[in-house]
Amino acid sequence: MKKASWILIGIMATSIGLYPLIYFLVDRRFGLLASKSAALLSDTVWNIAFYGHILLAGLALLIGWLQFSSTLRRRRMNIHRAIGKLYVIAVLISGFCGLYIAIHATGGMISILGFFSLDLVWLSTTILGFKAIKNGNIALHQKFMIYSYAACFAAVTLRIWLPTLTSIMGEFIGAYRIVAWLCWVPNIIVAYFIVRYSNRNNTSSSAQGL
């Protein structure tokens, strides 16, 4: 990954990764919570899932971008592995919490399916990436973790797309239904091309080494 792109991703990931702390500093009835019913906001299970999701997703977002530093992997492999284990734990907790709160997503079935699918992709790519490195398959591990962090980065792209579409459409619910898919599907497409480009470079390097 080019250094400028890596730094930009790091800045955005850090700013949104810290965003969940706002819920502890101001009245909860702002942002996405403003669209929730009083009954849902008072539901204990939903609150546990909600805070488990946003706090651990924030942590995954904060630390995940560091894993794409070739310098860190080359010079501090022990730190890379420690961050990786923490990232996987954060994703597992946040992802499963996310599956529950997705069922209660604002906007009905379109939003529910969008966010539920996002969590399934995030969980599955992370688990497959972890299994790959446990089996010693570094190349496959890297590919799955690119997809995993692309799904994780939906937290950033959601906060770019949602206010933009809400402003254009003039209403929140319609925009939210679109963003339930728009926040992550393009990310996965971008990840596909990154993986493809990486494969092409690796193939070219191998051919030159023959």
Side-chain angles (χ1 to χ4, degrees):
M1 183 181 294
K2 293 183 178 180
K3 188 174 181 179
S5 300
W6 183 72
I7 292 174
L8 178 60
I9 288 173
I11 292 171
M12 292 190 290
T14 301
S15 60
I16 300 302
L18 295 172
Y19 180 83
L21 297 177
I22 295 176
Y23 288 96
F24 297 93
L25 302 174
V26 301
D27 180 15
R28 292 207 314 159
R29 294 305 296 253
F30 84 101
L32 297 178
L33 290 188
S35 65
K36 304 300 182 184
S37 67
L40 188 62
L41 290 175
S42 63
D43 184 274
T44 302
V45 176
W46 184 87
N47 274 283
I48 292 172
F50 174 75
Y51 284 107
H53 176 65
I54 65 169
L55 291 175
L56 275 301
L59 176 60
L61 195 62
L62 274 171
I63 64 176
W65 67 280
L66 296 170
Q67 296 298 79
F68 298 101
S69 168
S70 57
T71 302
L72 180 66
R73 293 195 304 271
R74 186 173 60 252
R75 298 181 180 178
R76 295 288 187 272
M77 179 55 73
N78 58 327
I79 296 177
H80 175 80
R81 287 171 178 161
I83 293 174
K85 290 175 182 177
L86 184 58
Y87 176 83
V88 170
I89 293 170
V91 172
L92 290 177
I93 297 173
S94 179
F96 282 110
C97 288
L99 290 175
Y100 181 80
I101 64 172
I103 297 172
H104 302 278
T106 302
M109 191 54 65
I110 294 175
S111 299
I112 291 171
L113 289 175
F115 289 118
F116 199 88
S117 298
L118 166 59
D119 278 299
L120 287 178
V121 169
W122 193 27
L123 283 166
S124 60
T125 53
T126 303
I127 292 170
L128 289 170
F130 179 72
K131 288 181 65 177
I133 198 62
K134 293 296 286 184
N135 292 331
N137 193 333
I138 296 174
L140 188 61
H141 165 73
Q142 291 175 339
K143 293 172 188 175
F144 276 125
M145 297 316 290
I146 289 172
Y147 283 113
S148 171
Y149 198 69
C152 185
F153 207 71
V156 175
T157 47
L158 181 147
R159 286 165 178 82
I160 295 173
W161 282 115
L162 187 56
T164 302
L165 285 184
T166 300
S167 177
I168 293 172
M169 298 174 66
E171 58 108 5
F172 175 80
I173 298 298
Y176 195 66
R177 287 172 178 149
I178 295 172
V179 171
W181 296 89
L182 190 61
C183 71
W184 67 274
V185 172
N187 295 13
I188 298 301
I189 294 173
V190 171
Y192 167 78
F193 284 106
I194 291 173
V195 168
R196 186 176 179 183
Y197 177 77
S198 177
N199 286 343
R200 187 179 301 170
N201 280 354
N202 290 339
T203 302
S204 176
S205 298
S206 298
Q208 292 175 6
L210 292 176

